[in-house]
Amino acid sequence: MKPFLAMLTRDMKLATRIGGDSLTVLLFYIMTGAIMPFAIGPDKDQLAQLGPAIIWISALLSLLLALDRLFRMDHEDGSLLAMRQASLPLEMIVVAKICAHWVTTALPLIVATPVLAILLNLEIDQTLRVIFTLLVGTPALICFGAIGAAVTVSIKRGGLIAPILILPLSIPTLIFGVSAVSSGAIANAQDAALLFLAGFTLLSLVFTPFAAALALKMAAE
Amino acid sequence: MRKNGKNPENIALNVMNLACERGGFEIFSGVSFTAQPGEVILLRGPNGAGKSTCLATLYGVLPKSFGTVSFENIDPEREPREYLHIVGHVPGVKTTLTVKENLTFWAQLYGGTENVLPAIEAAGLEAIQDSEASILSAGQTRRLGLARLLVANRPIWILDEPTSALDKQGDQWVGQLIADHCAEGGIVIAATHLDIPHLAPEAVKTVMIGYSAVDHAS
């Protein structure tokens, strides 16, 4: 347990220090969300209707921003190689890094969501529902991102390669995330969408550690 | 009587006829040696001969195309990686963590000691232990990377050019680290041109890595 916690706290420290990703992601999220009302115009009803989708798109884009770097820094400075000798399997190291990444990037973003909700004129119950779907759905986004980041870890200046790889995988999460908030034509569609969202998250949590660890091992060859 | 505080299980390493192929091109072949407790294996050869590749094949990051690497006396319940320390070309130092945080992390991840102060002192970094590693010079960063060897006890050290960027005192320090580790029964496999002080000549084996890559190029 101690090696796992050491990995977790170290990544959390790195993300919150200067040059870390926490603040970048948070600011990008608020910025993209905040400029939407200016582009869409002052129609309050329209804003409220588009609100959940805007929040989800902003969250997805800002998470993509930092996901690319999940393993790259450690790969470049030799830490990843040294981590493979740890008394912890690489799969568990991936789990620790995913947890730390979720806490330092997705969680601040979820906490900041009410700010965006006010700007987008969302009702309180809808705001709470967006926050809940983000809580359920963002771990899946981080997991898919981790696989993309692991596959592209050895590509120097990969640029957009990882996001291009991650984006198609993230689309189902986006679809069900938004439809779990927005009122659709079909009754109970929201709850079904929420269950699908939870299913994606659970599935990705199970497969990602193995897939990402395998990709990292192959990248080191 | 040799002490074996660093290698209580008497782990030994047997390498037989090891070869590695990358993209259909043979990097090196026919590397054989045995490393008994207390021995230093020095890999020598010209640039591009495959020393780093050979080390990577030893610790299992690269697949071998031929030959065997076997560890003697290891606990079958544990993975070979848990007996290894690896320091490669890049030292694995995080510049936004302090010197102490860097080492404490490795100590905890490797299941080593809680007290990292002796390792910091051994590396000569005690005056700046609470400073961010970004202020360190190249040599100090290398020392910090090597201090990782001291925070958790692993019987086999695999070092790739451990003295690059180090000054003369640094060279001596690394030589002393290796000598001390072997004096207590540890095994060191290093690609280096360093002379290891205070060690019986019979404990130092030199393995020449082939000239195949150079031959092919010419």
Side-chain angles (χ1 to χ4, degrees):
Chain A
M1 201 58 208
K2 196 183 252 176
F4 185 82
L5 290 178
M7 192 69 230
L8 200 71
T9 46
R10 170 221 190 230
D11 265 34
M12 278 161 43
K13 263 185 208 163
L14 283 172
T16 46
R17 297 238 166 127
I18 294 169
D21 290 327
S22 267
L23 203 60
T24 320
V25 171
L26 184 62
L27 284 176
F28 188 82
Y29 175 65
I30 294 175
M31 270 160 47
T32 38
I35 56 169
M36 289 298 173
F38 296 105
I40 293 167
D43 184 344
K44 280 186 180 175
D45 293 335
Q46 200 179 19
L47 271 180
Q49 205 176 11
L50 294 175
I54 291 172
I55 288 178
W56 261 91
I57 291 171
S58 309
L60 174 61
L61 290 179
S62 43
L63 286 177
L64 278 182
L65 203 62
L67 271 171
D68 180 43
R69 290 200 286 274
L70 187 53
F71 301 109
R72 179 157 300 147
M73 301 298 205
D74 286 334
H75 179 75
E76 279 172 1
D77 68 13
S79 305
L80 202 61
L81 182 65
M83 280 171 200
R84 292 178 63 171
Q85 270 61 245
S87 45
L88 200 67
L90 191 56
E91 286 80 4
M92 285 308 284
I93 287 176
V94 171
V95 174
K97 287 186 84 75
I98 288 173
C99 292
H101 198 81
W102 186 82
V103 172
T104 51
T105 60
L107 201 58
L109 182 152
I110 293 168
V111 171
T113 300
V115 178
L116 285 196
I118 292 170
L119 287 169
L120 295 167
N121 195 35
L122 288 190
E123 301 287 334
I124 301 253
D125 58 332
Q126 220 178 2
T127 308
L128 290 176
R129 200 152 169 98
V130 172
I131 291 175
F132 185 65
T133 55
L134 282 175
L135 273 172
V136 174
T138 45
L141 294 181
I142 305 274
C143 283
F144 294 138
I147 297 175
V151 169
T152 57
V153 72
S154 60
I155 304 171
K156 277 180 185 147
R157 290 184 234 295
L160 273 173
I161 294 178
I164 285 172
L165 213 63
I166 302 164
L167 209 57
L169 290 171
S170 313
I171 284 178
T173 311
L174 185 71
I175 292 172
F176 289 112
V178 175
S179 45
V181 191
S182 306
S183 43
I186 312 156
N188 296 331
Q190 291 185 355
D191 295 335
L194 192 60
L195 286 177
F196 262 110
L197 194 64
F200 273 122
T201 296
L202 292 175
L203 199 67
S204 63
L205 281 175
V206 171
F207 284 112
T208 300
F210 300 99
L214 185 68
L216 288 175
K217 281 176 188 163
M218 285 167 73
E221 277 183 12
Chain B
M1 187 63 201
R2 193 205 295 126
K3 292 183 285 181
N4 67 348
K6 296 280 166 114
N7 191 357
E9 294 123 309
N10 271 315
I11 311 282
L13 183 64
N14 261 319
V15 177
M16 275 294 292
N17 227 350
L18 192 67
C20 181
E21 223 174 68
R22 309 283 292 146
F25 184 82
E26 190 168 79
I27 308 292
F28 68 88
S29 63
V31 172
S32 302
F33 61 83
T34 56
Q36 295 299 325
E39 288 186 332
V40 180
I41 310 291
L42 296 179
L43 296 184
R44 300 250 158 109
N47 291 140
K51 298 187 291 293
S52 299
T53 312
C54 181
L55 290 177
T57 316
L58 280 180
Y59 54 70
V61 164
L62 288 182
K64 49 186 178 291
S65 60
F66 195 76
T68 53
V69 177
S70 55
F71 294 85
E72 283 174 23
N73 302 332
I74 63 167
D75 182 349
E77 301 267 301
R78 291 169 69 192
E79 301 274 337
R81 62 177 163 81
E82 291 182 50
Y83 295 95
L84 300 177
H85 254 312
I86 291 167
V87 178
H89 288 291
V90 269
V93 166
K94 281 283 166 217
T95 50
T96 49
L97 296 181
T98 68
V99 170
K100 203 174 176 178
E101 283 170 339
N102 264 297
L103 278 180
T104 311
F105 164 67
W106 290 116
Q108 289 170 345
L109 192 71
Y110 280 33
T113 71
E114 278 301 282
N115 187 9
V116 295
L117 205 60
I120 293 175
E121 279 169 2
L125 300 170
E126 67 269 34
I128 43 174
Q129 57 170 307
D130 290 317
S131 309
E132 275 191 11
S134 56
I135 66 157
L136 300 187
S137 71
Q140 286 172 322
T141 307
R142 170 61 52 176
R143 278 167 174 266
L144 179 54
L146 286 163
R148 193 170 74 218
L149 297 168
L150 302 173
V151 296
N153 181 31
R154 298 281 174 96
I156 302 175
W157 292 3
I158 297 182
L159 312 174
D160 195 357
E161 298 290 354
T163 52
S164 64
L166 286 182
D167 56 11
K168 217 162 192 165
Q169 283 86 22
D171 283 2
Q172 280 169 0
W173 175 63
V174 176
Q176 192 61 49
L177 278 185
I178 294 176
D180 288 348
H181 185 63
C182 291
E184 293 199 44
I187 293 173
V188 177
I189 301 163
T192 177
H193 297 283
L194 191 69
D195 292 314
I196 313 298
H198 323 296
L199 212 61
E202 65 269 19
V204 182
K205 292 179 183 168
T206 304
V207 175
M208 294 302 291
I209 297 283
Y211 290 73
S212 65
V214 181
D215 287 344
H216 280 292
S218 62

